[in-house]
Amino acid sequence: MGDGCAMEGISHEAASLAGHWKLNKLTLIYDDNHTTIDGGTDMAFSEDVMARFKALGWHTITVDDIYHDVSSLKNAISSALSNTEKPTFISVKTGIGFLSRKEGTSKAHHGTFDDSDVKEMWDKVKWTDRHPFYVVPMGMRLQADHGQILEKEWYSKLYYYQSKYHQVATELRTLLNVDATRGYSGKCLNHLARVLPGPGITGGSADLASSNKVYLHDYEDFSQPKSPQGRNIGFGVREHAMAGISNGIALHGSGLIPFGATFLVFSDYMKNSIRLSALSHAGVLYILTRDSIGLGEDGPTHQPIEQFAGLRAIPRLLVFGPADGNKTAGAYKVAVGNRNIPSVIALSRHKLATNIEGASADAVEKGGYIVSDNAGEKQLREIILIGTGSELCTCEASAKRLRSEERRVRLVSLVCWRLFDKQPKENKELVLPPSVVKRVSIEAGSPMGWRDYVGASGVIVGVDEFGVSGAYLDTFEKFGFTEENVAGTARALLEGSLY
């Protein structure tokens, strides 16, 4: 168990039962290094964990010097195995990143160590006869060499273009400066903190501020008694409590706009408090990153599948899936403007365009709108592609491919279902005409709910199983979220050869 685990309520509940049931065969080893992802545990955690477990009926042992006396851990485990009356809690005092330059810091929690740092660590433990372990298949090496050649050619052309067309090149650099929507969100949040009148916004993350991109850089951390005016709240690994506290801030009536952030998949930990936000008309902003299987290597445990469907089912709750920087700003505009309705803004980890052509920040308030359509005034469009979140980019590329085949394709952004559903019938039918029954929706999550928008004759490209571990492009390809597959699915639907 780590320090973050000790913060979460489930650890207390389970430990209480284990003590009550006297599960003497259970031994829990606590890696007590006082470090979490965002920093030291003193940001949000100061309780005596050993005393807590003792009060819950556990046999407790402390191992103070494991680095110079490994046998002390062995003796502690032997003591635990011989105990016949209680479960055993072994607190092992450790230093994260031991012997490295990052020792004792949060950078050792989720970072890497450079070659010189690794060499110093090896020297300290006298591993002078060791050699690095590499796996570099020949194909990968050849591909890397080819990539370097292409990169040099690209930069050579770019520098020439910049020297000849300075103004246009400046605009090009802006377009090339892509980011994940979580990055665009961080910029929006910090700008809002500076310009909103009155008390403004306050909040934080469940020990993921650096990943969620929600730290307010011009403001202090909330701390008692040092800085009670601080805007950045370190909630620790406590999603449920974070959402509950945010509800309290919203309902207090001070004018503060609270936000809470974590990964989308962890929204399940605070689902009941999110539900209470909607029930209580508490205008909390829930900023949830890593919005799909596109987060990649963390694998199925961190890849949200059913979370969108569950959140959209909560009455009143606005769930936004912005596809680029502009629509991220549009989602914040609507969310901040609704002070008696909570909002979820789901954001990507992988980089996306600043602006998809035809997409609009102002149109976010409609929930769904037409991004592009190549059918003429008197022509009937053949098919509608519907996307949300990062998958709208895939839809756009697929639409372009189909149009190059002289297909008449409409591209629709369905950024917030609830806002779209509230539109007048004529507005909804203007975006999704009943006469166009061939439709394809694309979202890297559960297909549940999409049938309402694609209709009985439409196709849903979704994920109805747990994800996989791998690079995000590989996971997208495995589940069919590629330009080729979406265009192929639409083509088969048009030709009647899908089934």
Side-chain angles (χ1 to χ4, degrees):
M1 181 178 82
D3 291 298
C5 307
M7 296 181 196
E8 293 186 293
I10 191 172
S11 68
H12 184 90
E13 294 174 24
S16 177
L17 274 177
H20 177 72
W21 287 335
K22 302 186 186 303
L23 303 181
N24 63 288
K25 293 184 179 180
L26 176 62
T27 298
L28 178 59
I29 299 175
Y30 176 35
D31 180 13
D32 188 5
N33 59 39
H34 296 283
T35 309
T36 61
I37 293 175
D38 278 349
T41 53
D42 56 357
M43 294 173 60
F45 193 60
S46 56
E47 68 190 52
D48 187 335
V49 180
M50 181 74 79
R52 187 221 297 184
F53 274 80
K54 188 173 183 179
L56 292 173
W58 288 58
H59 173 49
T60 57
I61 304 172
T62 300
V63 176
D64 286 311
D65 191 12
I66 190 174
Y67 298 114
H68 299 97
D69 184 12
V70 177
S71 63
S72 60
L73 177 58
K74 181 179 178 180
N75 293 336
I77 294 173
S78 296
S79 175
L81 294 174
S82 64
N83 189 296
T84 60
E85 297 180 356
K86 300 177 179 180
T88 299
F89 179 81
I90 303 174
S91 175
V92 183
K93 305 294 183 181
T94 63
I96 194 168
F98 183 60
L99 298 181
S100 75
R101 298 171 193 162
K102 299 176 181 178
E103 181 174 353
T105 70
S106 61
K107 291 181 180 179
H109 188 294
H110 54 281
T112 57
F113 304 95
D114 61 36
D115 292 341
S116 61
D117 200 1
V118 171
K119 185 179 183 305
E120 287 181 16
M121 286 189 278
W122 285 13
D123 290 342
K124 289 174 183 176
V125 294
K126 297 182 171 53
W127 280 10
T128 53
D129 60 337
R130 304 283 178 119
H131 298 284
F133 180 71
Y134 293 109
V135 178
V136 185
M138 180 58 69
M140 186 181 296
R141 182 180 293 116
L142 292 173
Q143 189 66 26
D145 292 342
H146 180 60
Q148 288 180 342
I149 294 172
L150 292 176
E151 185 178 26
K152 288 180 181 178
E153 291 177 356
W154 157 252
Y155 278 111
S156 176
K157 292 177 181 178
L158 180 62
Y159 294 146
Y160 170 76
Y161 191 84
Q162 288 174 344
S163 64
K164 191 169 183 180
Y165 308 102
H166 178 71
Q167 182 59 40
V168 179
T170 300
E171 296 175 8
L172 175 63
R173 282 197 300 271
T174 301
L175 292 173
L176 292 175
N177 186 24
V178 296
D179 200 348
T181 50
R182 68 175 181 179
Y184 298 131
S185 167
K187 295 180 177 70
C188 290
L189 201 61
N190 274 271
H191 183 70
L192 285 169
R194 292 190 295 270
V195 302
L196 281 176
I201 62 174
T202 186
S205 170
D207 192 42
L208 291 168
S210 57
S211 182
N212 299 147
K213 309 297 182 186
V214 295
Y215 193 80
L216 304 178
H217 296 292
D218 295 334
Y219 299 89
E220 297 177 85
D221 294 345
F222 171 79
S223 175
Q224 290 281 30
K226 182 181 176 183
S227 53
Q229 74 281 3
R231 297 277 193 94
N232 292 293
I233 302 174
F235 289 105
V237 190
R238 302 184 182 95
E239 291 88 355
H240 191 186
M242 174 177 69
I245 291 167
S246 298
N247 282 337
I249 293 173
L251 296 171
H252 178 256
S254 66
L256 280 169
I257 300 174
F259 66 87
T262 186
F263 295 160
L264 176 57
V265 74
F266 296 153
S267 64
D268 289 344
Y269 291 137
M270 54 183 183
K271 183 68 68 62
N272 202 39
S273 286
I274 295 176
R275 184 176 187 273
L276 282 173
S277 299
L279 183 63
S280 306
H281 297 280
V284 178
L285 306 184
Y286 292 102
I287 302 165
L288 306 179
T289 66
R290 303 197 177 193
D291 65 348
S292 75
I293 57 171
L295 66 89
E297 290 81 354
D298 281 348
T301 57
H302 286 57
Q303 293 171 349
I305 302 297
E306 73 281 12
Q307 279 69 29
F308 269 129
L311 290 167
R312 285 169 175 152
I314 298 175
R316 298 181 189 151
L317 181 67
L318 300 180
V319 181
F320 296 93
D324 58 23
N326 282 344
K327 279 201 286 299
T328 301
Y332 270 105
K333 179 182 177 182
V334 177
V336 169
N338 281 282
R339 290 297 75 236
N340 63 347
I341 301 175
S343 298
V344 164
I345 302 178
L347 305 157
S348 74
R349 180 192 187 190
H350 55 287
K351 292 183 177 181
L352 298 168
T354 305
N355 181 48
I356 295 173
E357 186 177 356
S360 166
D362 292 334
V364 170
E365 65 182 6
K366 299 176 182 178
Y369 61 94
I370 302 165
V371 176
S372 61
D373 192 330
N374 68 326
E377 288 185 16
K378 296 183 179 180
Q379 291 179 310
L380 292 176
R381 57 208 48 81
E382 298 173 273
I383 194 166
I384 301 175
L385 301 185
I386 312 168
T388 186
S390 55
E391 288 75 67
L392 187 64
C393 298
T394 306
C395 285
E396 180 192 36
S398 302
K400 287 181 178 178
R401 176 172 291 206
L402 292 167
R403 288 165 185 165
S404 70
E405 301 168 8
E406 299 186 354
R407 294 292 191 177
R408 297 185 297 279
V409 183
R410 170 171 288 186
L411 175 60
V412 168
S413 170
L414 204 59
V415 64
C416 178
W417 292 12
R418 180 153 280 114
L419 290 177
F420 182 71
D421 291 345
K422 288 182 177 180
Q423 292 291 311
K425 181 180 179 182
E426 57 270 24
N427 287 8
K428 290 187 287 186
E429 292 186 350
L430 184 65
V431 176
L432 298 175
S435 59
V436 186
V437 297
K438 293 182 178 180
R439 305 174 183 180
V440 180
S441 70
I442 302 95
E443 182 174 60
S446 170
M448 189 175 294
W450 275 105
R451 185 59 60 191
D452 290 345
Y453 302 100
V454 301
S457 302
V459 176
I460 302 167
V461 179
V463 183
D464 56 5
E465 58 183 289
F466 293 113
V468 293
S469 181
Y472 82 92
L473 289 176
D474 293 337
T475 61
F476 275 148
E477 183 174 3
K478 176 178 174 60
F479 289 102
F481 295 97
T482 63
E483 172 189 337
E484 294 79 10
N485 182 65
V486 172
T489 300
R491 192 180 299 113
L493 182 60
L494 286 165
E495 294 171 356
S497 59
L498 189 62
Y499 303 108

